[in-house]
Amino acid sequence: MIKFVLMVNRQGQTRLSRYYDPVELNRRTLLENHVVHCCLSRRKDQCSFVEYKDFKLVYRQYAALYIVVGVTDNENELSVYELVHNFVEVLDKYFSRVSELDIMFNLDRVHIILDEMIQNGHVVETNKSRILAPLTALNKMADG
Amino acid sequence: MPAVSKGDGMRGLAVFISDIRNCKSKEAEIKRINKELANIRSKFKGDKALDGYSKKKYVCKLLFIFLLGHDIDFGHMEAVNLLSSNKYTEKQIGYLFISVLVNSNSELIRLINNAIKNDLSSRNPTFMCLALHCIANVGSREMAEAFASEIPRILVAGDTMDSVKQSAALCLLRLYKTSPDLVLMGEWTSRVVHLLNDQHMGVVTAAISLITCLSQKNPDEFKTCVSLAVSRLSRIVSSASTDLQDYTYYFVPAPWLSCKLLRLLQCYPPPEDGAVKGRLVECLETILNKAQEPPKSKKVQHSNAKNAILFEAISLIIHYDSEPNLLVRACNQLGQFLQHRETNLRYLALESMCTLASSEFSHEAVKTHIETVINALKTERDVSVRQRAADLLYAMCDRSNAKQIVAEMLSYLETADYSIREEMVLKVAILAEKYAVDYSWYVDTILNLIRIAGDYVSEEVWYRVIQIVINRDDVQGYAAKTVFEALQAPACHENMVKVGGYILGEFGNLIAGDPRSSPLVQFNLLHSKFHLCSVPTRALLLSAYIKFINLFPETKATIQEVLRCDSQIRNSDVELQQRAVEYLKLSSIASTDVLATVLEEMPPFPERESSILAKLKKKKGPGAVSVTDLEDSKREGGELNGGSDRGPDSGAMAASNASTPSPSADLLGIRSAAPIGAAPTSAGSLLVDVFSEAGPAAPSAAVNDDGFLRDLEPTETSDSLLVEGSGDSDSAPPSEDPATLLSEADELLNKFVCKNNGVLFENQLLQIGIKSEYRQNLGRMYLFYGNKTSVQFASFTTTPQLNVQTKPVEPLVEGGAQIQQVLNIECLTDFSEAPLLNIKFRYGGALQNLSLKLPVTINKFFQPTEMTSHDFFQRWKQLSLPQQEAQKIFKANHSMDTEVLKAKLLGLGTALLDDVDPNPENYVCAGVIQTKGQQVGCLLRLEPNGQAQMYRLTLRCSKDSVSMRLCELLAQQF
């Protein structure tokens, strides 16, 4: 099961966080700091899976942005690793070349996309056009 | 896709975010945020009603602030208001805010539930999805109560939109996890399982999560999902990459769905139905085959997705552990990955192979990769990969390759990362012990371990080497020689000094013949390390020194000199000082015989699970108990009691006092009385201490430095033993085998009239120690059955010949181990015969049968009574009936020394009254015997005649039978 999805930049600033396991706010900040430090300090040739306390981190870097996913032990690391890429591709498709700014300024949209893909820590949808369906409908409404 | 503008029209939000981005410092950011929070607060509190757009904008800002790590304590109401908006974006923000910020016990739940109810019945699929998301995210009890019956209907209804079904499946999963009692699947089971057949892949993907969870809880009810999952998997695996269109990811058909299906199958054993099983094996073979095919794309995404499925398939193969062919193929595939250029694959292959190593079918296949794994341990640049390699080496180790693997791990330790050293040390220690063919190799390995990574050698590791050396006499000489050599190094680790001190103290004599390691050389070598060591090590060394005095009398003068010097005997550390003082005294006053007994070689340790294994388990997860503390404390106990405090005794008395039930309490009530929590006394002598590790009893007992006494805490069997008042009718309980009633039993009994603790019985096989406490008419007796042999006692039973409800003791007593039993005793009325205890067990093949008198005598229930001379003689006169008095004149059997007599009289339980008898040579005592039914006042007068070596003993009690009995008992004591 997926415990959380984080998006952080190289400065360690959180750009997106979604927890599927309730975590208190002050512990969140601490966790994010740790996790970010843990992933940012790793070299490119190190593996993308890190054991962290009683769970695992799967992370992937896109330019200055890191996406870190906390998963329980029984999750398939590679499938989560590719899920992250799928998520980024969806964002890319929606924002046509997504950047950190897009994510900051459209947090609500990013959340909609993520919620279509992962619910309650489980993968529910991986088909790009179906993930984007609610947003497409939204844009149509706005246009019309 | 239309280009999306910044902030999508919410200018205020965009400005705020830009401001935050431009903040140069954390302080500036906090300032800006506080300003914004104040602004939003005033807007929300303002008189003007905000329109939906503004509310959305402010709620969005709050979300952003929350993301930055600031607590948000307002705005919830506004978010709830947004839920009833008809605009999707406003509703969505409202729900998002609630899912992120509202916890399940919020007061707003009722309002939120209302909005959800409206949206669920709206038949607008996007609104329904939002509502279902929200239930799934918050998942509170109240929500479960409101919607648990509704959701399954939505999930399986024919006209529900696919996206709604997906959300409903996950929503139901959450409610099932938080409130399983409210989610009744019964009638829905089969329709939920059939979602696996749904046309829509997204629905299947979502449904599998739900079905997996439900299958784990009720495997039987959901069994049918196996065949459905297999056929679904088979269709995906055999499909062409174009068949599944949008669910194909870089030419891999539905990788996430495949993984989830394979994961679901891991909830079940291999399918029983031959056809289903055949189909599944075919699928697994296809997946393995595909790994060998040339990739359809050069993109890493393609191979990752393909390998995700492959690893999941291998997990399933390992889970089934029944197809040797597939297991070996899996192993070969992983072997290829071990040399792959992708670090991720090497990592996963090592991890996966670790589980393969434990299968009997693939263990040998895994072993063929040993060189690659060793190479990985040496050359991998990523510590987490090296860690996996070390794990795999540990898993693939067996007798055939243990020496190689241990040697490699040892050499890796010299350069290993600090983060994994301790675990490596434990693993090396475990492997060395597990696969030791000759114990000299084991000793070498552990000493190397201490030399290379001394700081990471936990206590458990060096305790263990000592246990093993003590238990194996074939290795003791070698161990002594090796530690002696290791200690020659100019700088050696403190753990080495500890092992050295302990082993030389026990077995230094085995190498003393060589002039290069003569006693004095050994001592000087140890003592040269003394000043660099910490207090616990010094304490251990002091014990080694006193052992030296026993082993080598010629070192006595030198060692005494060392002990006598100020830095020892006046050491500021109380433990060291006490040891120095006591050892010095012991060495100067005790005869060689006494020394030899006290400082005898350690008895073998009971065999038990390796303490380091327990430690490794503890590192890996909670729940494993640490037995090592006990072992430590046991050794300390054997080493010689360094003068532990005797304080707990008074605590015990106080506690038992508090637990005394009222006279009206029912008999069984004493079982529930508060347990006597404090430790028994240490007066049980060294003999008991040697045995004092609690055997199978409560390894969880908290143990600290002087904790060996506390090991005896009564935590195991607590048997209630009701001592029936033995009138003459039932006083002599029939013994099954009177022949074994030992003739000296009465003597044994007499030993305990004036004391409560000691060794009750001892023969070649068995030692029974006893500790007891009495308060008023209640007593508690701890019996410690120690197996003196190295062989297990089977069918061990003890039967107190009384009216008892006995819980049996542990039926097996391991060689060298000890078990304990607790008896709760209540004195109902006065009695004269001691209760009997029958003990039966099998030693070898022979049945042993023993009958012992339990040392429960009437005087145990004495309460001392202080009184003046005047009162004493007044009462003495009141008890003037001839039958109330019992008198005996007898010859002294023991020392007539005043202090000895006083101690005995106090041990009797009465108050020893001074200045009562006009003749100061005489002793008078007073006390009340407490039984359940009555109290019996007793007065005693003992008149010694030193010249004649005679005594006259007079007792006057309010009950004549008590006078008689006490007189009989006491006449044996003086």
Side-chain angles (χ1 to χ4, degrees), chain B residues 677-717:
Chain B
T681 69
S682 60
S685 87
L686 195 65
L687 278 168
V688 176
D689 288 340
V690 170
F691 278 87
S692 72
E693 57 94 33
S700 59
V703 176
N704 48 25
D705 280 347
D706 53 71
F708 66 96
L709 292 174
R710 302 200 182 137
D711 294 350
L712 298 168
E713 276 192 48
T715 42
E716 257 313 84
T717 52

Side-chain angles (χ1 to χ4, degrees), chain B residues 895-915:
Chain B
S895 158
M896 293 184 77
D897 178 55
T898 318
E899 290 310 312
V900 175
L901 285 177
K902 277 187 179 170
K904 281 185 179 170
L905 288 167
L906 282 173
L908 188 65
T910 51
L912 181 59
L913 305 176
D914 290 322
D915 307 316

Side-chain angles (χ1 to χ4, degrees), chain A residues 1 19 27 39 44 51 57-58 69 77 85-86 99 102 114 118 124 134-135:
Chain A
M1 179 189 156
Y19 288 82
R27 291 192 40 228
C39 295
K44 277 243 163 112
E51 274 181 42
L57 304 175
V58 175
V69 186
E77 292 95 340
H85 190 71
N86 200 23
S99 71
D102 291 322
L114 188 60
I118 304 173
V124 285
L135 285 176

Side-chain angles (χ1 to χ4, degrees), chain B residues 79-87 91 115 118-119:
Chain B
V80 171
N81 286 341
L82 283 175
L83 297 186
S84 48
S85 164
N86 276 327
K87 288 200 176 117
K91 199 185 271 289
N118 289 335
D119 283 333

Side-chain angles (χ1 to χ4, degrees), chain B residues 55-68:
Chain B
K55 274 190 208 152
K56 175 183 140 189
K57 184 175 75 181
Y58 294 130
V59 169
C60 240
K61 281 183 183 177
L62 290 179
L63 266 176
F64 186 78
I65 293 171
F66 182 73
L67 177 71
L68 294 175

Side-chain angles (χ1 to χ4, degrees), chain B residues 113-251:
Chain B
N113 275 0
N114 259 336
I116 291 176
K117 197 167 278 172
N118 289 335
D119 283 333
L120 282 185
S121 53
S122 71
R123 312 203 58 78
N124 175 335
T126 38
F127 288 4
M128 285 174 88
C129 281
L130 286 176
L132 289 167
H133 270 186
C134 182
I135 303 174
N137 281 314
V138 178
S140 74
R141 183 82 194 165
E142 267 183 287
M143 281 188 175
E145 280 164 2
F147 303 111
S149 54
E150 176 79 8
I151 313 288
R153 212 190 330 271
I154 297 175
L155 176 61
V156 297
D159 57 346
T160 308
M161 299 278 290
D162 293 330
S163 58
V164 178
K165 276 190 191 168
Q166 286 171 287
S167 301
L170 268 301
C171 178
L172 196 56
L173 169 59
R174 174 62 189 261
L175 294 186
Y176 184 76
K177 276 185 179 165
T178 50
S179 317
D181 53 316
L182 293 176
V183 181
L184 304 170
M185 288 311 298
E187 47 183 317
W188 310 111
T189 305
S190 105
R191 296 173 76 180
V192 168
V193 171
H194 275 86
L195 287 173
L196 286 173
N197 265 342
D198 200 284
Q199 284 187 318
H200 194 279
M201 305 276 271
V203 174
V204 185
T205 309
I208 293 179
S209 292
L210 174 65
I211 295 169
T212 306
C213 174
L214 292 168
S215 303
Q216 280 162 348
K217 296 275 159 56
N218 329 287
D220 285 342
E221 290 167 46
F222 286 84
K223 236 180 0 211
T224 46
C225 73
V226 173
S227 61
L228 289 177
V230 169
S231 60
R232 189 90 213 193
L233 180 69
S234 157
R235 274 181 310 205
I236 297 173
V237 169
S238 57
S239 67
S241 57
T242 48
D243 286 0
L244 300 165
Q245 295 168 356
D246 281 346
Y247 285 90
T248 297
Y249 179 81
Y250 289 90
F251 305 102

